[in-house]
């Protein structure tokens, strides 16, 4: 098969790496890709937000299957247009992608199917939102309704902070994403991510993970897109995972089908767990980044079979073959991230690193220049390793990190700490 992956991050590098191991893959193209992806697949310069361009590219290149990595093209309806043009696609329709693209939509779906989540209010004007904040009191969570690249959530510990956040959102700090605001009860507990595939009907769990959102060791400093992840997440025990499926995920999928917008793709449920009870924090309609890197190392070649079965509505016939193992991914970022950072610094030492089923360096924000690999993004490399235990996976990953010569980069040294106690 000729397979196209849309995206350019570490997530897409991991998806490409797993897909290439599947014997069904004859040719793999990633658009637009990055320097690491270019070492294993063809990269093509395509505007992945432009449906006509993507469909035209698939026709010219006889593409048989398209995997859409990020949320923005999903919310923009690229999956719908590819499906209409006759291509097999992994990724939900724009209507179903509202589970990530609109927080108010997700809350309303949770209400309709009685899925446990934070109590909330939904506002289109600042005065009503301010009144709600005053009535509820801090701590409270203020969220821009739309996609805001992970930045539209403010956890306010005081009423003053909460009111300032409301004003900021209605003043346009998050553009169109913030013209509607959801205000939520602050939930306590431990967060974990649950990944399932859904083909519109059948739900198939494919793994759990835990991310590290803060930039600094010990979960300190500002929030980021994620500084490291590991899979599985022990806090998401089998019993809690089953509860999440029964009480949250299957009811959501049934509600989506009932509304004529069946969900087809990977659903990433962010859960808050307290006293054995999972509650929904948010849905994402794509793989997490860097959670995907850890998941792909564990799933390997079967990942493509599972994505294909999702697109073809055959998930009820599929089983996931779990290796009883652990994977951990450390994000190396440019100094300054998530604030201002320099681009263009040279990364050395990558050539001598092992790349096999136990050790992989996934590229997130790199380019090749004059024979060198340079950093082009905030999150730049995802050093990922597998092991029989989490300790072993962590040790392998940091051994690789320590061989990389990149003075302008940094990483957290404690990825995995919650599970390792
Ligand atoms: P979201 O984009 O909705 O996932 O929010 C980003 C992060 O904010 C989540 O991963 C949580 O760590 C935190 N968060 C969001 N909503 C809540 C909530 N209601 N209570 C506590 N923490 C939250
Ligand atoms: N790592 C968090 C996310 O992908 O949203």
């Amino acid at each position: 098969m000729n397979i196209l992956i849309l995206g350019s991050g570490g997530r897409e590098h991991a998806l490409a790496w797993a897909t290439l191991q599947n014997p069904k893959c004859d040719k793999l193209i990633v658009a637009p890709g990055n320097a690491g992806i270019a070492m294993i697949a063809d990269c093509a310069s395509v505007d992945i937000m432009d449906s006509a361009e993507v469909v035209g590219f698939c026709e010219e290149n006889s593409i048989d299957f398209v995997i859409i990595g990020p949320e923005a093209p999903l919310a923009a309806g690229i999956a719908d247009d590819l499906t209409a043009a006759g291509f097999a696609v992994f990724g939900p329709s724009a209507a179903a992608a509202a589970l990530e693209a609109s927080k108010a939509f997700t809350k309303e779906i949770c209400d309709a199917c009685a899925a446990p989540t934070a109590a909330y209010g939904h506002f289109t004007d600042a005065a009503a939102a301010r009144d709600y904040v005053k009535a509820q009191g801090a701590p409270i969570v203020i969220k821009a309704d739309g996609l805001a690249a992970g930045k539209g959530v403010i956890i306010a510990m005081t009423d003053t902070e909460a009111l300032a956040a409301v004003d900021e959102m209605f003043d346009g700090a998050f553009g169109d994403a913030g013209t509607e605001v959801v205000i939520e009860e602050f939930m306590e507990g431990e967060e974990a991510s649950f990944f399932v595939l859904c083909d519109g009907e059948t739900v198939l769990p494919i793994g759990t993970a835990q991310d590290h959102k803060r930039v600094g060791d010990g979960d300190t400093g500002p929030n980021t897109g994620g500084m490291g992840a590991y899979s599985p997440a022990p806090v998401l025990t089998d019993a809690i995972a089953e509860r999440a499926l029964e009480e949250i995920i299957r009811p959501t999928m049934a509600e989506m089908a009932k509304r004529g917008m069946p969900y087809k793709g990977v659903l990433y449920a962010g859960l808050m767990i307290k006293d054995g009870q999972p509650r929904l924090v948010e849905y994402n309609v794509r793989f997490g980044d860097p959670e995907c890197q850890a998941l792909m190392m564990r799933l390997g070649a079967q990942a493509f079979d599972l994505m294909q079965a999702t697109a073809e509505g055959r998930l009820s016939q599929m089983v996931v073959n779990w290796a009883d193992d652990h994977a951990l991914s450390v994000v190396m970022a440019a100094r300054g991230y998530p604030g201002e950072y320099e681009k263009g610094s040279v990364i050395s030492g990558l050539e001598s690193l092992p790349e096999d089923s136990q050790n992989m360096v996934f590229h997130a924000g790199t380019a090749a220049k004059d024979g060198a690999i340079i950093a082009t993004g905030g999150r730049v490399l995802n050093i990922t390793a597998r092991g029989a235990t989490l300790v072993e996976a962590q040790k392998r990953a940091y051994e690789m990190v320590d061989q990389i010569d990149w003075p302008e980069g940094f990483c957290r040294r404690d990825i995995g700490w919650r599970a390792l106690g």
Side-chain angles (χ1 to χ4, degrees):
M1 294 174 76
N2 296 333
I3 300 167
L4 172 68
I5 298 178
L6 302 184
S8 63
R11 168 180 52 209
E12 287 75 24
H13 192 174
L15 290 169
W17 174 84
T19 299
L20 275 170
Q21 292 171 40
N22 192 298
K24 287 178 191 155
C25 179
D26 298 309
K27 183 174 172 67
L28 179 66
I29 307 177
V30 183
N34 63 38
I37 296 172
M39 292 177 207
I40 61 169
D42 288 347
C43 290
S45 159
V46 175
D47 178 356
I48 66 169
M49 295 299 288
D50 183 331
S51 264
E53 199 174 322
V54 174
V55 170
F57 183 87
C58 290
E59 282 163 354
E60 277 157 37
N61 292 276
S62 308
I63 297 296
D64 301 301
F65 196 87
V66 185
I67 299 168
I68 304 181
E71 63 277 17
L74 292 166
I78 302 292
D80 306 66
D81 294 328
L82 282 166
T83 305
F87 293 100
V89 188
F90 179 77
S93 65
L99 283 178
E100 176 166 359
S102 168
K103 296 192 189 288
F105 175 82
T106 298
K107 296 304 268 189
E108 195 254 311
I109 291 278
C110 286
D111 284 348
C113 68
T117 184
Y120 77 106
H122 172 210
F123 302 95
T124 50
D125 77 276
R130 291 177 65 95
D131 288 345
Y132 185 81
V133 166
K134 285 181 203 150
Q136 301 296 320
I140 196 160
V141 184
I142 319 291
K143 300 185 173 185
D145 177 67
L147 292 180
K151 298 194 183 79
V153 174
I154 295 170
I155 298 178
M157 298 316 282
T158 63
D159 289 11
T160 315
E161 267 178 82
L163 293 170
V166 165
D167 291 342
E168 205 191 352
M169 290 204 185
F170 283 109
D171 284 346
F174 299 99
D176 286 347
T179 56
E180 294 187 30
V181 170
V182 168
I183 304 183
E184 279 183 14
E185 164 201 358
F186 174 79
M187 291 188 286
E188 282 177 28
E190 187 168 344
E191 258 186 286
S193 307
F194 194 15
F195 293 88
V196 304
L197 297 176
C198 184
D199 60 8
E201 212 169 311
T202 301
V203 173
L204 183 66
I206 55 165
T208 64
Q210 205 161 28
D211 190 7
H212 301 59
K213 292 204 198 272
R214 303 296 193 101
V215 75
D217 283 11
D219 289 341
T220 54
N223 261 321
T224 68
M227 293 302 291
Y230 56 89
S231 170
V235 59
L236 239 171
T237 59
D238 289 348
I240 296 176
E242 195 46 49
R243 264 188 96 159
L245 285 170
E246 270 318 302
E247 297 174 13
I248 304 174
I249 296 172
R250 285 198 199 103
T252 301
M253 296 293 93
E255 182 66 26
M256 295 296 283
K258 194 172 105 190
R259 293 185 186 203
M261 44 179 88
Y263 189 91
K264 296 177 188 172
V266 60
L267 185 73
Y268 156 0
L271 302 172
M272 191 69 83
I273 299 159
K274 192 169 175 238
D275 303 330
Q277 167 74 57
R279 290 208 285 165
L280 184 74
V281 177
E282 62 164 350
Y283 283 126
N284 294 301
V285 299
R286 49 168 176 89
F287 283 106
D289 188 344
E291 293 92 326
C292 183
Q293 291 78 317
L295 287 176
M296 288 303 129
M297 288 233 38
R298 296 187 64 214
L299 290 172
Q302 67 183 317
F304 180 75
D305 296 323
L306 292 166
M307 290 190 271
Q308 193 186 20
T310 302
E312 294 175 359
R314 290 188 286 105
L315 276 182
S316 61
Q317 301 159 22
M318 301 298 284
V319 283
V320 183
N321 293 306
W322 287 115
D324 184 17
D325 62 356
H326 299 256
L328 180 141
S329 186
V330 177
V331 172
M332 294 188 78
R335 281 196 190 285
Y337 174 81
E340 297 283 309
Y341 55 84
E342 303 257 314
K343 291 185 182 178
S345 55
V346 173
I347 305 166
S348 313
L350 296 175
E351 328 67 60
S352 55
L353 294 179
E355 295 211 331
D356 50 40
S357 62
Q358 304 287 313
N359 303 276
M360 269 303 297
V361 175
F362 294 118
H363 289 224
T366 62
K369 193 180 174 201
D370 307 328
I373 297 292
I374 60 165
T376 57
R379 293 191 294 170
V380 174
L381 296 170
N382 309 136
I383 317 304
T384 311
R386 259 168 92 195
T389 62
L390 186 60
V391 173
E392 188 179 295
Q394 188 196 46
K395 181 165 169 283
R396 283 210 176 103
Y398 281 111
E399 275 168 9
M400 288 196 282
V401 166
D402 291 336
Q403 289 180 62
I404 295 172
D405 181 13
W406 180 32
E408 295 83 0
F410 75 98
C411 66
R412 277 181 63 162
R413 299 295 315 191
D414 64 347
I415 300 305
W417 72 272
R418 277 185 193 276
L420 295 171

